[in-house]
């Protein structure tokens, strides 16, 4: 096992158990596949389907999953919602509509903090049909409701989008949302000596090109030094800039600024 594989294994073994994603009567194979993809993006893996419209889909689901086949391979199909959640201790129901039921209503971030805090418990999140969502009886199985702070003028979410949002918030709440790269500087900051050498090269090149009005040379030179300092240049930046200046100088004959023929 490589060191990278070992590192990934250690992270997975230390990660809290994620919630089960439960789709109630999903209608489209593509949505099931995209749900699997959304789950895999953020480290969730257990998918359950309740009475999918046409049974387990045979076409389109794996293509839509875009490689998240481990989620699909481990998915289970259940005849009823009660069967699908029988082994769970805590269940959330997602809905965009007021249900008039005496349940806590949580935003996704608060809901996933609650899930993460329930260490040792099996948790699940219910998602309803693409067109109609969950019915009131199905919502009554849940301990709390999760709704999204969407624009009231267009509150409809695609099934996989809803799963993606919840999966993302779970990963954040679980402390696993580490960016895959940082964009940090690979070259150290330029030293004052390197900057001074760049200024000298730049000012000499501009002087040879006749850039400076004689009475404003010092002012312009200071302004350009200030500008380059604001860029917080690295050693590599300075080398690149000096190389560019050398290339321009070598390709251009030096201008005679002495006034002599």
């Amino acid at each position: 096992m490589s060191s990278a594989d070992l590192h990934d294994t250690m992270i997975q073994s230390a990660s809290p158990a994620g919630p089960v994603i439960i789709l109630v009567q999903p209608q489209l194979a593509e949505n099931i596949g995209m749900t699997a993809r959304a789950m895999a993006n953020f480290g969730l893996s257990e998918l359950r389907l309740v009475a999918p419209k046409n049974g387990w889909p045979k076409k389109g689901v794996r293509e839509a999953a875009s490689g998240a086949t481990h989620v699909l391979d481990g998915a289970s199909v259940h005849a009823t919602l009660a069967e699908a959640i029988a082994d769970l201790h805590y269940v959330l129901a997602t809905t965009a509509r007021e249900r008039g039921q005496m349940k806590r209503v949580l935003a996704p971030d608060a809901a996933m903090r609650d899930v993460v805090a329930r260490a040792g418990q099996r948790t699940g999140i219910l998602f309803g049909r693409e067109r109609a969502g969950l019915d009131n009886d199905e919502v009554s199985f849940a301990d709390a409701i999760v709704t999204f702070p969407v624009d009231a003028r267009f509150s409809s979410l695609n099934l996989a989008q809803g799963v993606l949002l919840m999966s993302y918030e779970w990963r954040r709440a679980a402390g696993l949302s580490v960016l895959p790269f940082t964009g940090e500087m690979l070259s150290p900051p330029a030293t004052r000596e390197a900057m001074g050498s760049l200024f000298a090269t730049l000012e000499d090149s501009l002087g040879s090109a006749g850039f400076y009005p004689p009475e404003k040379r010092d002012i312009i030179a200071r302004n350009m030094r200030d500008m380059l300092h604001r860029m917080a240049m690295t050693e590599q930046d300075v080398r690149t800039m000096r190389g560019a200046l050398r290339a321009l100088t070598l390709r251009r004959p030096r201008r005679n600024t002495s006034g002599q023929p």
Side-chain angles (χ1 to χ4, degrees):
M1 178 182 293
S2 68
S3 58
D5 291 337
L6 179 59
H7 180 261
D8 291 344
T9 300
M10 291 173 64
I11 290 177
Q12 291 169 5
S13 63
S15 300
V20 177
I21 300 298
I22 304 155
L23 307 185
V24 178
Q25 294 186 1
Q27 298 169 291
L28 301 176
E30 290 79 5
N31 280 336
I32 297 172
M34 288 190 289
T35 290
R37 179 179 183 177
M39 292 170 61
N41 283 151
F42 296 103
L44 298 182
S45 60
E46 190 166 353
L47 174 64
R48 299 180 186 180
L49 310 181
V50 178
K53 182 177 180 181
N54 298 308
W56 179 255
K58 296 179 173 60
K59 184 178 180 181
V61 63
R62 290 186 176 271
E63 292 81 356
S66 190
T69 54
H70 65 286
V71 177
L72 296 176
D73 291 340
S76 58
V77 178
H78 303 266
T80 66
L81 177 55
E83 175 189 310
I85 64 175
D87 64 327
L88 304 181
H89 303 98
Y90 181 73
V91 176
L92 296 166
T94 59
T95 179
R97 302 191 306 277
E98 169 64 48
R99 300 306 183 119
Q101 298 187 22
M102 298 297 292
K103 294 183 184 293
R104 289 183 302 151
V105 177
L106 304 172
D109 54 347
M112 292 300 94
R113 287 195 297 268
D114 194 0
V115 164
V116 170
R118 295 174 180 273
Q121 297 183 26
R122 294 279 284 152
T123 62
I125 309 173
L126 306 181
F127 293 86
R129 303 155 189 82
E130 288 90 335
R131 289 182 178 272
L134 298 166
D135 63 33
N136 286 340
D137 286 339
E138 291 158 348
V139 172
S140 71
F141 280 94
D143 297 279
I145 286 173
V146 181
T147 195
F148 301 98
V150 293
D151 191 321
R153 295 167 297 180
F154 195 78
S155 61
S156 175
L157 279 177
N158 172 271
L159 177 58
Q161 289 175 330
V163 173
L164 182 76
L165 286 171
M166 295 301 291
S167 302
Y168 170 70
E169 291 295 351
W170 172 79
R171 192 165 184 83
R172 289 183 63 214
L176 302 175
S177 56
V178 179
L179 297 179
F181 52 88
T182 64
E184 62 186 329
M185 293 292 183
L186 300 180
S187 176
T191 63
R192 297 302 87 183
E193 180 183 12
M195 292 298 293
S197 178
L198 173 62
F199 296 153
T201 301
L202 177 62
E203 290 162 19
D204 180 64
S205 298
L206 291 175
S208 298
F211 173 76
Y212 298 112
E215 70 282 5
K216 294 185 177 180
R217 177 180 178 125
D218 290 345
I219 295 174
I220 294 174
R222 285 196 297 270
N223 288 342
M224 294 192 74
R225 291 174 202 163
D226 290 341
M227 177 180 68
L228 291 173
H229 277 309
R230 287 195 299 271
M231 293 172 63
M233 299 180 77
T234 67
E235 289 183 359
Q236 181 59 55
D237 293 334
V238 169
R239 287 195 294 269
T240 300
M241 183 70 76
R242 292 191 65 188
L245 290 171
R246 281 197 300 272
L248 290 174
T249 303
L250 290 173
R251 289 176 178 272
R252 185 189 65 245
R254 293 176 64 88
R255 179 173 175 175
N256 187 346
T257 59
S258 66
Q260 298 297 321

